[in-house]
Amino acid sequence: MEFFRDTNIDFLGKKWYFLAFSLIFSVAGVLSMLFWHHIPLGVDFRGGTIVQVKFTSAPNADQIRSLMDKAGLRDSRIQTYGPAANNEVLISLPLSETSEAALDKGKLAILRALSGAAPEGKLDLNNTDVQALQADLLEKDPLHLGTDAAQRYAQIAQALVDQRDKKLGGVLHSFDELKGAAPEPVLQRLQSDFYLSNFAERGGSIVGPQVGAQLRRQALLATLYSLAGMLVYLAFRFEWIYGVAAVVACFHDTLITVGAFSLANKEISLTVIAAILTLVGYSMNDTIVVFDRIRENLKLLRRERMEDIVNKSINQTLSRTILTSGLTFLTVLSLFLFGGEVLHGFSFALVIGILIGTYSSIAVAAPMLVAYQNWRVQRSGRGPMPGGGGRRAQENGPTREASSGKDAGNREKIRARA
């Protein structure tokens, strides 16, 4: 299947536009990382407590931030979570301790900051668990059950919590929503002993700072090792300049993707690192396809200029590039739109990365080869760089090269007949 045939787009003639595009997005990302949102590392890497909170109405990030600041939690991070209709946010705090007590301490600090001034002597029914509810009913005994009340009140408390969490989405707007879940005397007692805040805690987790630092180091090393491995492979498979151009293009893709996370203030978690490593492999594969065609054409079109050879190579692989990248992009776009909050960061990195990776194989890596060729000729007066094959091709000498050229010529004839 082929979308484009016999295209003759002058990609190299637009290299300055490509350079401007890359500079704008790279510089914007770097400035955001340095002066605005910085690198928004998730709790996986920073270490700390993260609490998921659901509100009765659309949460206002500025108001939440103001409440956190008043409570002295100035290092907290606030991020919307899930669809807007769910009214949920994630609030994270950096912590220096790693115990369960530290988790509870962080949770309580956030909940106290959100609660503000609670009514005297009353508990918040939106943030009360089964045990606390049962204990209050046992103490007040609104049904006058006497000494055998424990099991009955445990059932009532569980029914009330299930009504709140499973049927009403985890947060109550009024006490009337509990009608039918418990006898009327119990509901009247609840209105005397409890009040309803405008939020409910829906979960929490903790990551120690040492674990976070270790994960940061491992993520950085994994990215650097993958780039170094690809550089070695390409230097052996082609020529070292091909490897350098491909690694620069991959670094360009990674920089813009991380910059996009900083600009959008989206947290970089372990799944995002997995997506970035996937992106490195995808971008490298796309670049190798273009380089492979350039190498073939260098042997076939010895009398043509390097710019013309690169342009022709990109045009010859354009249909394959659009088809492969387009289908992959549709897949990750579906994942981004319908994959849910857990995969949101992962799919966002791939959506950005596939677009930038496809672009860089055409607009960054290939022009670097031409720039190197021009520099090489001007500096030393040497001819065009070899067609590739690395050391093995050079060791095999002109016989193999001639044979390869003949084979390539035959392949060109076969393609022309097709």
Side-chain angles (χ1 to χ4, degrees), residues 73 153-154 163 165 194 226 239 245 252 267-268 273 303 306 314 340 347 375 391 398 406:
L73 308 176
Y153 283 131
Q163 176 82 357
D165 293 346
F194 291 85
S226 65
E239 292 292 332
H252 161 275
E267 286 196 346
I268 297 178
I273 297 299
R303 295 182 181 278
M306 184 67 180
I314 296 174
S347 53
W375 172 82
R391 292 177 182 173
K406 185 178 179 180

Side-chain angles (χ1 to χ4, degrees), residues 41-50 92-93 205-208 212 267-268:
L41 296 176
V43 173
D44 295 348
F45 298 110
R46 290 183 296 125
T49 297
I50 186 166
S92 57
L93 290 176
S205 60
I206 187 170
V207 176
E267 286 196 346
I268 297 178

Side-chain angles (χ1 to χ4, degrees), residues 289-305:
V289 170
V290 176
F291 281 178
D292 222 16
R293 184 55 59 92
I294 291 174
R295 186 179 61 166
E296 283 187 13
N297 286 336
L298 277 171
K299 296 172 182 175
L300 293 171
L301 311 170
R302 291 176 178 278
R303 295 182 181 278
E304 294 195 21
R305 295 187 312 148

Side-chain angles (χ1 to χ4, degrees), residues 66-355:
S66 175
L67 291 173
M68 294 293 120
D69 290 347
K70 284 181 182 176
L73 308 176
R74 299 185 183 281
D75 295 331
S76 60
R77 184 187 295 276
I78 299 162
Q79 188 178 16
T80 57
Y81 181 79
N86 287 356
N87 302 329
E88 293 184 354
V89 298
L90 295 176
I91 303 175
S92 57
L93 290 176
L95 287 179
S96 57
E97 302 175 28
T98 60
S99 62
E100 286 296 324
L103 170 62
D104 293 337
K105 183 179 175 183
K107 273 187 181 179
L108 289 175
I110 291 172
L111 296 180
R112 275 200 299 269
L114 292 176
S115 297
E120 186 73 24
K122 290 191 174 186
L123 299 174
D124 180 7
L125 189 56
N126 272 328
N127 290 288
T128 301
D129 58 16
V130 174
Q131 289 74 23
L133 198 52
Q134 180 193 7
D136 183 82
L137 292 175
L138 270 174
E139 181 184 353
K140 306 298 170 52
D141 195 12
L143 298 180
H144 307 292
L145 298 176
T147 55
D148 299 328
Q151 184 177 1
R152 176 62 177 144
Y153 283 131
Q155 294 173 347
I156 292 175
Q158 186 64 58
L160 289 169
V161 171
D162 287 346
Q163 176 82 357
R164 181 192 67 190
D165 293 346
K166 297 181 179 177
K167 296 183 178 178
L168 300 174
V171 62
L172 297 170
H173 295 76
S174 75
F175 285 98
D176 293 338
E177 293 176 324
L178 294 175
K179 284 184 177 178
E184 189 61 30
V186 172
L187 299 181
Q188 291 176 1
R189 188 75 247 174
L190 292 179
Q191 295 188 43
S192 300
D193 296 347
F194 291 85
Y195 76 100
L196 295 177
S197 64
N198 67 338
F199 70 94
E201 180 235 331
R202 302 292 293 152
S205 60
I206 187 170
V207 176
Q210 292 182 347
V211 175
Q214 185 177 2
L215 290 175
R216 277 201 309 273
R217 186 169 58 255
Q218 290 176 342
L220 179 63
L221 289 177
T223 306
L224 292 178
Y225 287 159
S226 65
L227 290 175
M230 291 176 186
L231 175 63
V232 171
Y233 167 74
L234 288 177
F236 178 77
R237 182 72 178 83
F238 295 89
E239 292 292 332
W240 69 268
I241 183 59
Y242 287 82
V244 171
V247 168
V248 169
C250 280
F251 180 76
H252 161 275
D253 302 341
T254 305
L255 181 64
I256 289 183
T257 303
V258 175
F261 271 83
S262 178
L263 288 167
N265 197 23
K266 290 182 178 293
E267 286 196 346
I268 297 178
S269 62
L270 284 174
T271 57
V272 173
I273 297 299
I276 289 176
L277 291 176
T278 305
L279 157 68
V280 168
Y282 181 88
S283 176
M284 190 66 72
N285 178 63
D286 231 18
T287 305
I288 286 175
V289 170
V290 176
F291 281 178
D292 222 16
R293 184 55 59 92
I294 291 174
R295 186 179 61 166
E296 283 187 13
N297 286 336
L298 277 171
K299 296 172 182 175
L300 293 171
L301 311 170
R302 291 176 178 278
R303 295 182 181 278
E304 294 195 21
R305 295 187 312 148
M306 184 67 180
E307 287 86 343
D308 297 333
I309 293 174
V310 171
N311 263 332
K312 187 167 290 185
S313 303
I314 296 174
N315 278 287
Q316 287 173 349
T317 56
L318 188 62
S319 180
R320 177 263 175 207
T321 300
I322 297 297
L323 191 61
T324 306
S325 300
L327 291 176
T328 310
F329 178 76
L330 288 178
T331 303
V332 297
L333 184 62
S334 300
L335 197 63
F336 176 72
L337 295 176
F338 309 113
E341 187 62 29
V342 175
L343 296 175
H344 190 75
F346 179 82
S347 53
F348 180 73
L350 287 179
V351 165
I352 300 292
I354 285 177
L355 289 176

